[in-house]
Amino acid sequence: VVSTQSTWGDWFLQRMTHRLLNETGVAFGSSNAGTGVTVYILDTGVSAHSEFGSRLQSTGFDGIGDGNRAFPTCHFHGTATASMAAGSTLGMAPNAKIASVRVLDCSGSGTTSVIVSGINWVIAQHKANPGAKSILSASLGVPYSSTSSCRDLVTENALKAAMAAGITVVVSAGNDGVDAGLCSFGTVDTAFIVGATTSTDYRADFSNYGSNVDIWAAGDLVRVAYTTSSTSYAVASGTSFSAPLISGVFARFLSDGVSASTLEQTMKSTATQSQLRDKVNTATYMPQNLLGYAGSNPYTHNYITPSPSPSPSPKTSPSPSPSPSPSLSPKTSPSPSPSPSPSPSPSLKPSPTPSPSPSPSPSPSPSLKSSPSPSPSPSPSPSPILNNPTNSTTCTTKLTGKLTGRNSYAYTEMYYCPKNCVNYANLNGPTDFDLYLYKYSNNKWQPIAWSIGNTGIESIRKEDSGWMRWYVISASGSGQFDLCIISPDFKTVQHTW
């Protein structure tokens, strides 16, 4: 359990509200933040906590009947997941109402019949209030087994019925490190299935993966509300905590007037794209490379695309040794790791929380896109290498893009520049656009050179080695630009390690 004064584990707030890794501060977009939306927490029950106040509805569902009612303190899991969805300081939707649907007992276990009864209660509540905006957040599942079925078709059908009734259903992908399509409830194709990422934008080792995962959100060593008191917190890991973050983002959309029928499209179109990595194979394990986003301008996505030829193909070359990520202070996750029930019927449990482990070495993301988030501020040191603009037309790769106003920016995919490599590019923009060269160093992207004249005609030539990427940032104005990369040749350099 972490001190109530600690903010260790709050990194997810920055990551869910910024386009780039390691940007500081929390920058939620203008929103009603869940006003008028009810998030139903299908779990171990939600206890009273300072994160919720009066927004925790007094009427809940208790399918356990052990005297703890719908608001127990005997298991933290439901309270923790609720804090990620709608906590006042931790949640994505701090104005949403929270309804406790207790279907798991004090050990974190439940039965199909009780869980289905809880889902049916949610459906009844939704139908009893015409026009209600409802989200069902389900951080539970059937643990993977190589010797018996891990499917619960009865509960899967109940979740589908909730979707059919107009309720948005969000499900955790599971924590067995296997394909999410193998076990319930990552198999519910009409639900929104969420995997877990680390603070370095990797897939968390424990997270289930594959094409059934619709989106990703923070879930490794995150701070959550705890149940030892109404002001206690803990640090925990699991897709159980990723799913409610997405539930909270959905609540923000609903309160802003997005229709339930277009929520999934809106979530995917506003997500941060192509930033995530997998230590084994990103394309296979994370084909939906989307990170949930609740930042300051969630409705705009622009991309830089090569012109006129297709995207260059990276050439395999020896990989550099990335710097290891800093070690984390030892923390003990309060969540037990339940094992599958030996009974023939599947055991339904909160997605088990794995023991915390050091995050993998961070890798810069290979995306090729632009974002309207505030521009990164150039560092005052080291001194940049500035050059007069040139009229060279010997582009090894020509990229085109569009910026949408002051402080909007675009950046190229990363590339590896070996020893004695020259980074050389010219920018041709319609107004006051600036050119920056960033290097991945000390676990973050940092500017090492920039050309910031009063026009959109800029040039940088800088000899340096390591992982690099080019940025184009609007000091003022908007419009289309051309970026002529002269050196190195994007078609031959390495783009992934």
Side-chain angles (χ1 to χ4, degrees):
V1 178
V2 180
S3 164
T4 57
Q5 301 304 312
S6 174
T7 57
W8 193 90
D10 284 4
W11 65 269
F12 68 91
L13 291 169
Q14 285 89 354
R15 193 65 194 98
M16 296 290 289
T17 60
H18 288 287
R19 294 294 186 193
L20 298 179
L21 185 65
N22 293 325
E23 290 189 276
T24 58
V26 179
F28 280 107
S30 177
S31 170
N32 293 313
T35 301
V37 180
T38 301
V39 181
Y40 293 88
I41 304 296
L42 191 73
D43 214 298
T44 60
V46 182
S47 63
H49 197 281
S50 59
E51 287 285 330
F52 312 134
S54 61
R55 293 181 297 113
L56 176 58
Q57 297 188 49
S58 58
T59 301
F61 175 86
D62 177 23
I64 305 303
D66 59 0
N68 285 298
R69 300 174 58 244
F71 315 102
T73 59
C74 60
H75 200 297
F76 86 105
H77 199 267
T79 301
T81 59
S83 70
M84 304 300 271
S88 59
T89 66
L90 299 178
M92 296 293 105
N95 293 343
K97 294 180 180 179
I98 304 160
S100 176
V101 187
R102 190 183 180 215
V103 295
L104 304 178
D105 62 22
C106 289
S107 69
S109 298
T111 63
T112 296
S113 61
V114 170
I115 292 175
V116 170
S117 295
I119 296 170
N120 289 337
W121 180 81
V122 174
I123 294 172
Q125 293 293 307
H126 178 75
K127 289 183 175 179
N129 297 279
K133 299 176 180 180
S134 306
I135 294 170
L136 176 59
S137 191
S139 291
L140 47 79
V142 182
Y144 170 74
S145 171
S146 61
T147 59
S148 61
S149 173
C150 55
R151 294 290 298 274
D152 177 4
L153 298 179
V154 175
T155 303
E156 287 183 22
N157 288 333
L159 291 171
K160 291 177 181 178
M163 291 287 289
I167 300 168
T168 300
V169 176
V170 183
V171 178
S172 56
N175 301 323
D176 296 303
V178 299
D179 192 302
L182 294 175
C183 300
S184 299
F185 301 104
T187 50
V188 183
D189 55 2
T190 53
F192 212 72
I193 299 166
V194 188
T197 60
T198 71
S199 60
T200 54
D201 276 359
Y202 272 91
R203 176 181 69 88
D205 289 342
F206 55 78
S207 179
N208 289 356
Y209 53 79
S211 58
N212 278 39
V213 178
D214 294 294
I215 202 165
W216 301 81
D220 182 49
L221 300 175
V222 293
R223 193 163 73 107
V224 298
Y226 202 54
T227 53
T228 53
S229 75
S230 62
T231 57
S232 61
Y233 294 86
V235 172
S237 297
T239 59
S240 287
F241 312 112
S242 308
L245 288 176
I246 296 301
S247 296
V249 178
F250 273 134
R252 295 179 74 89
F253 290 155
L254 282 174
S255 66
D256 289 345
V258 177
S259 67
S261 62
T262 61
L263 272 182
E264 179 173 351
Q265 177 185 348
T266 301
M267 178 67 76
K268 290 185 175 181
S269 66
T270 61
T272 298
Q273 303 188 18
S274 303
Q275 293 290 293
L276 306 177
R277 310 283 289 170
D278 185 90
K279 290 192 294 183
V280 180
N281 187 313
T282 303
T284 299
Y285 283 71
M286 310 176 81
Q288 300 278 15
N289 199 324
L290 303 172
L291 182 67
Y293 181 68
S296 59
N297 196 340
Y299 301 104
T300 303
H301 263 293
N302 296 316
Y303 294 85
I304 307 178
T305 54
S307 172
S309 59
S311 300
S313 300
K315 177 181 178 181
T316 303
S317 61
S319 172
S321 299
S323 301
S325 59
S327 59
L328 298 172
S329 302
K331 301 286 179 181
T332 302
S333 171
S335 175
S337 298
S339 56
S341 170
S343 60
S345 59
S347 171
L348 298 168
K349 299 178 179 291
S351 300
T353 302
S355 299
S357 58
S359 300
S361 300
S363 165
S365 58
S367 68
L368 194 66
K369 69 184 226 178
S370 66
S371 167
S373 305
S375 62
S377 300
S379 169
S381 63
S383 300
I385 303 297
L386 301 179
N387 293 272
N388 293 325
T390 71
N391 295 318
S392 172
T393 58
T394 56
C395 307
T396 60
T397 300
K398 183 179 179 182
L399 302 174
T400 63
K402 184 177 182 180
L403 299 184
T404 57
R406 185 177 182 273
N407 287 337
S408 61
Y409 63 92
Y411 54 93
T412 68
E413 64 180 317
M414 68 175 185
Y415 64 91
Y416 185 68
C417 206
K419 187 177 180 180
N420 299 323
C421 173
V422 176
N423 302 270
Y424 188 8
N426 292 331
L427 171 67
N428 187 354
T431 182
D432 191 2
F433 287 6
D434 297 326
L435 180 62
Y436 292 79
L437 177 65
Y438 270 60
K439 179 179 179 178
Y440 196 71
S441 177
N442 295 324
N443 297 323
K444 61 182 178 181
W445 287 103
Q446 303 183 71
I448 60 171
W450 52 90
S451 180
I452 50 176
N454 294 324
T455 70
I457 310 300
E458 308 289 352
S459 181
I460 292 175
R461 188 179 187 277
K462 170 73 171 176
E463 183 174 326
D464 202 345
S465 61
W467 288 100
M468 307 287 184
R469 66 170 25 144
W470 295 97
Y471 279 76
V472 179
I473 302 175
S474 171
S476 66
S478 60
Q480 184 169 308
F481 64 85
D482 294 326
L483 180 62
C484 171
I485 298 175
I486 301 168
S487 176
D489 188 341
F490 256 41
K491 295 184 288 297
T492 59
V493 293
Q494 183 182 353
H495 292 278
T496 59
W497 51 39

